[in-house]
Amino acid sequence: AQSVTQLDSQVPVFEEAPVELRCNYSSSVSVYLFWYVQYPNQGLQLLLKYLSGSTLVKGINGFEAEFNKSQTSFHLRKPSVHISDTAEYFCAVSSNAGGTSYGKLTFGQGTILTVHP
Amino acid sequence: DADVTQTPRNRITKTGKRIMLECSQTKGHDRMYWYRQDPGLGLRLIYYSFDVKDINKGEISDGYSVSRQAQAKFSLSLESAIPNQTALYFCATSDPGTGGEGYGYTFGSGTRLTVV
């Protein structure tokens, strides 16, 4: 079985400040990791993904995330946020091995990022 | 047209009614999924289908059923709707052949269902 915990349900931040959204996962097998963003009244859009290789992953809109296998974490960061980054962010995990979790995304609870002027 | 289309976009229904949410895709993917989103709970998997003849329960399938009418169509039914099924429902497709499991997930825009 696999699970994802997003450690902060809400993160308020001022415009142009840095931000980190925290994500920890649990899995008995190797995983792929993802961050999705959901803007108000919209569907989910992929921000970035870790499949293999470099543990630092760069995504769209200036976001990046670092896979830390020893700490089972995949935190999302942006050095300077904009008002338009206000949205809900979801961390997700998918098994890359066989078993009952194969091919399915398991999501965290979501973190609402609010950027204030 | 969107790659994954969900209908209706919004629906209000009464307790005890049967309701169907529809999903169609033009991605040509074999794998399709239904998720439910609730505030503070993220997205939870209801049902998934890895091909037309393969239907599997997710973590919260009670009170729901699905039908995979074709590779491109995957419908979710609430047999007898109850208020705690009020939620945002998402359909998604994936193609593991494009670079790894989960690489090619595409989500629809969602159906907001209210049960009164």
Side-chain angles (χ1 to χ4, degrees):
Chain A
Q2 57 194 24
S3 64
V4 178
T5 301
Q6 292 182 239
L7 299 168
D8 306 292
S9 59
Q10 297 191 52
V11 173
V13 65
F14 287 107
E15 193 173 20
E16 299 183 4
V19 70
E20 178 180 79
L21 306 184
R22 297 180 294 166
C23 172
N24 287 347
Y25 71 92
S26 172
S27 177
S28 57
V29 298
S30 296
V31 297
Y32 297 128
L33 293 157
F34 308 83
W35 276 98
Y36 286 85
V37 60
Q38 184 180 33
Y39 297 106
N41 300 312
Q42 294 188 27
L44 276 76
Q45 179 181 1
L46 181 66
L47 265 182
L48 50 79
K49 58 188 180 292
Y50 170 79
L51 302 181
S52 65
S54 173
T55 57
L56 182 62
V57 180
K58 294 188 182 296
I60 62 173
N61 300 339
F63 284 94
E64 63 180 30
E66 186 159 17
F67 170 53
N68 188 320
K69 187 175 182 179
S70 63
Q71 297 186 7
T72 61
S73 67
F74 191 55
H75 300 333
L76 180 70
R77 302 185 183 97
K78 186 170 182 177
S80 176
V81 294
H82 303 290
I83 297 288
S84 59
D85 292 323
T86 294
E88 189 163 15
Y89 293 78
F90 293 95
C91 182
V93 62
S94 174
S95 167
N96 65 14
T100 58
S101 298
Y102 186 65
K104 298 179 292 182
L105 278 180
T106 298
F107 288 85
Q109 302 88 335
T111 298
I112 297 173
L113 174 65
T114 304
V115 182
H116 298 284
Chain B
D1 290 340
D3 293 328
V4 180
T5 301
Q6 292 185 234
T7 56
R9 290 296 306 274
N10 292 281
R11 180 73 180 267
I12 300 175
T13 192
K14 293 184 178 181
T15 297
K17 293 291 188 181
R18 184 178 189 275
I19 182 170
M20 179 182 291
L21 310 183
E22 299 187 353
C23 176
S24 62
Q25 52 113 346
T26 59
K27 301 287 289 184
H29 291 171
D30 286 328
R31 300 183 174 193
M32 298 188 73
Y33 310 80
W34 275 104
Y35 285 90
R36 164 179 174 162
Q37 183 182 4
D38 297 278
L41 297 178
L43 280 77
R44 293 178 291 167
L45 184 62
I46 306 172
Y47 269 96
Y48 62 102
S49 170
F50 281 0
D51 65 45
V52 175
K53 296 182 180 180
D54 176 75
I55 303 289
N56 302 279
K57 293 182 178 180
E59 59 182 303
I60 55 164
S61 59
D62 287 348
Y64 301 94
S65 63
V66 291
S67 173
R68 185 81 184 266
Q69 300 95 325
Q71 185 202 41
K73 296 184 182 294
F74 193 36
S75 300
L76 175 72
S77 293
L78 285 66
E79 299 302 326
S80 178
I82 56 177
N84 76 0
Q85 291 178 311
T86 293
L88 185 56
Y89 290 84
F90 285 103
C91 176
T93 73
S94 74
D95 179 8
T98 56
E101 287 302 325
Y103 179 98
Y105 262 75
T106 303
F107 284 85
S109 297
T111 294
R112 187 169 297 280
L113 176 66
T114 303
V115 183
V116 298

